[in-house]
Amino acid sequence: RQVSRREGVSILVATPLDIAGDRCALLFAAATIGTRQLALLRSVADALAAPLAAQRAAERARMPLKAIEATGEAVLVTEARAEDERVVYANPAIAALTGFAPEEMLGSSLHQIRWLGEPVQGWQAVREAMRRDEPLRREVILRHRSGVPVWVDLSLAPLRDAAGRCTHFVAVLRDINDAHDAEERVDV
């Protein structure tokens, strides 16, 4: 109120503004307001609604990706039908698990990643699940870039298009080295 008095503003008008289902208001302050100013205010509100709604929709569409990038679990997305299931996405957590930056993983094959440590027979179930477009969960060993073996809990799931065809796989890898080390100490 002090600012409005000091600046000579005596009228404050709010017009409703619906942005992607959220109710907002466009405020207009003036010394005087007439029919023309009210029409202009409504016109501005109408003109702002569509771009603001598009911006909000884009933010909501980015939210799942932001969540995946913020998680502490490593996430890889691979092609389903290409030879060697090429990696098309890797989140930042993959670096701590493997020693490779997400950008280094892009374009590499799942075969290259799996050969980092475990013998072929350990990955046969993974390969078979991918061939059948089925989910799978199992413990596997990867080898960190430094050469250290890393036990991971691998959760693999097919991603399907609108027609139900598997187009990609998502793999979530959780470091379970501590649990395996504790288990080995108990067994000894």
Side-chain angles (χ1 to χ4, degrees), residues 61-75:
R62 285 190 298 271
M63 189 62 64
L65 181 59
K66 286 180 178 181
I68 290 168
E69 289 183 351
T71 186
E73 310 297 341
V75 178

Side-chain angles (χ1 to χ4, degrees), residues 5-82:
R5 284 189 195 129
R6 186 176 65 230
E7 300 298 324
V9 174
S10 59
I11 299 173
L12 182 63
V13 178
T15 186
L17 183 59
D18 187 330
I19 302 172
D22 292 335
R23 295 288 289 175
C24 301
L26 179 63
L27 300 176
F28 181 75
T32 61
I33 192 161
T35 308
R36 277 185 53 205
Q37 288 87 1
L38 286 175
L40 176 63
L41 181 62
R42 188 69 233 150
S43 176
V44 169
D46 290 344
L48 288 174
L52 290 174
Q55 179 182 3
R56 208 143 301 142
E59 288 171 5
R60 286 186 182 132
R62 285 190 298 271
M63 189 62 64
L65 181 59
K66 286 180 178 181
I68 290 168
E69 289 183 351
T71 186
E73 310 297 341
V75 178
L76 294 174
V77 177
T78 68
E79 297 172 331
R81 295 290 173 238

Side-chain angles (χ1 to χ4, degrees), residues 64-175:
L65 181 59
K66 286 180 178 181
I68 290 168
E69 289 183 351
T71 186
E73 310 297 341
V75 178
L76 294 174
V77 177
T78 68
E79 297 172 331
R81 295 290 173 238
E83 189 168 316
D84 293 335
E85 296 87 18
R86 299 272 171 211
V87 174
V88 296
Y89 173 80
N91 75 339
I94 197 73
L97 191 65
T98 67
F100 294 95
E103 305 80 43
E104 293 178 281
M105 302 298 282
L106 299 180
S108 64
S109 75
L110 200 54
H111 291 287
Q112 291 169 319
I113 297 163
R114 72 177 189 208
W115 297 128
L116 293 176
E118 193 163 348
V120 175
Q121 64 270 20
W123 283 87
Q124 286 176 343
V126 175
R127 185 74 163 141
E128 187 60 26
M130 293 179 87
R131 190 184 63 72
R132 291 189 314 262
D133 298 340
E134 294 177 351
L136 174 78
R137 184 169 182 187
R138 77 177 280 131
E139 294 178 359
V140 295
I141 302 172
L142 298 179
R143 192 161 304 278
H144 190 275
R145 181 179 232 161
S146 67
V148 175
V150 180
W151 277 96
V152 297
D153 177 35
L154 168 69
S155 293
L156 181 75
L159 299 178
R160 300 185 186 281
D161 64 14
R165 292 181 300 265
C166 178
T167 60
H168 295 82
F169 282 93
V170 60
V172 178
L173 302 111
R174 187 171 54 92
D175 185 337

